[in-house]
Amino acid sequence: MATITTKETRAFNWANPGTLKVGDEIVETLKDGREVVFVVMDDGVIGLKNLLGYHRMNKEWTNEGGWLACDMRRYLNEEVIALLPDALIAAIKPRKFGEEEDKLWLFSEMEVFGEHDWAENDPDRGFQFEYFKDRRNRIKVDEDGDASWWWERSPYGSSSHGFCIVNSSGNASINGANGASGVCFGFYI
């Protein structure tokens, strides 16, 4: 028996999103005019389908202090959040990291890959999000359509200078904190 898969397109409201399923895509225009696609990654978790440019985790070659101390955290929650439409910002629920809260964050090694031991010192490992169980969904492209490496918030366990990343094939790797890699953030609604 043959089957058909269809894609529904409808108006979307961040304040009243209705029922969302893993893999649903939401097209949004940033305040600077760029169009981005967000995708439902798990229950209440939304993230970029592809990259929003490149940035360093830190200006210096260190992962000391992990996510809470990195420049990427500041960049997302000061500069990038300012690009989001007001209706989206109002719908975002902050996520706790210890005593701190962030509206935007990078995914952890565990959230992307599931059981993986490169980030054994990560205090907020979480669980693998449904969307990332398919390796193809871990491949992100830049504005030119080229598959590229992108950051995770997890410090690389056996290094004092690296953070975990996803390489252009959707596999786990690492990069020095002061190198520029792709930005793919998530948030809760």
Side-chain angles (χ1 to χ4, degrees):
M1 170 186 246
T3 62
I4 184 171
T5 301
T6 61
K7 186 174 182 178
E8 173 192 359
T9 302
R10 62 179 166 88
F12 182 78
N13 182 336
W14 288 107
N16 186 16
T19 303
L20 298 174
K21 300 181 304 286
V22 171
D24 283 352
E25 296 180 1
I26 304 159
V27 178
E28 186 61 89
T29 302
L30 301 179
K31 288 178 181 173
D32 66 3
R34 285 183 286 176
E35 188 174 272
V36 295
V37 178
F38 293 109
V39 64
V40 178
M41 305 217 165
D42 213 301
D43 188 29
V45 179
I46 310 289
L48 281 173
K49 181 174 181 172
N50 288 305
L51 302 180
L52 185 71
Y54 296 88
H55 195 77
R56 301 176 302 223
M57 287 297 281
N58 281 316
K59 293 177 183 172
E60 303 299 324
W61 200 45
T62 181
N63 64 14
E64 185 177 345
W67 170 251
L68 292 177
C70 75
D71 182 62
M72 177 69 78
R73 179 176 180 237
R74 179 211 56 79
Y75 172 69
L76 289 177
N77 288 285
E78 291 178 12
E79 296 180 41
V80 172
I81 201 163
L83 296 172
L84 301 180
D86 294 337
L88 170 53
I89 294 170
I92 294 175
K93 296 177 182 174
R95 181 174 181 178
K96 285 193 90 63
F97 292 97
E99 297 298 314
E100 304 284 330
E101 287 186 343
D102 293 325
K103 286 198 168 200
L104 304 181
W105 33 268
L106 297 183
F107 301 100
S108 73
E109 180 80 356
M110 179 74 82
E111 290 165 348
V112 176
F113 292 102
E115 289 298 326
H116 205 265
D117 61 359
W118 284 14
E120 67 265 2
N121 297 326
D122 188 352
D124 183 49
R125 293 170 55 97
F127 61 92
Q128 187 177 26
F129 292 145
E130 192 64 35
Y131 183 75
F132 289 127
K133 289 180 180 177
D134 183 337
R135 185 182 65 81
R136 294 172 296 183
N137 292 333
R138 298 191 300 256
I139 298 170
K140 306 291 180 190
V141 299
D142 62 17
E143 62 187 18
D144 295 328
D146 297 323
S148 191
W149 296 41
W150 55 280
W151 289 114
E152 297 169 338
R153 73 173 181 273
S154 304
Y156 178 60
S158 64
S159 162
S160 63
H161 67 273
F163 279 85
C164 295
I165 62 169
V166 182
N167 70 23
S168 59
S169 299
N171 296 314
S173 194
I174 61 164
N175 195 13
N178 64 341
S181 284
V183 176
C184 181
F185 63 87
F187 54 89
Y188 284 128
I189 61 166

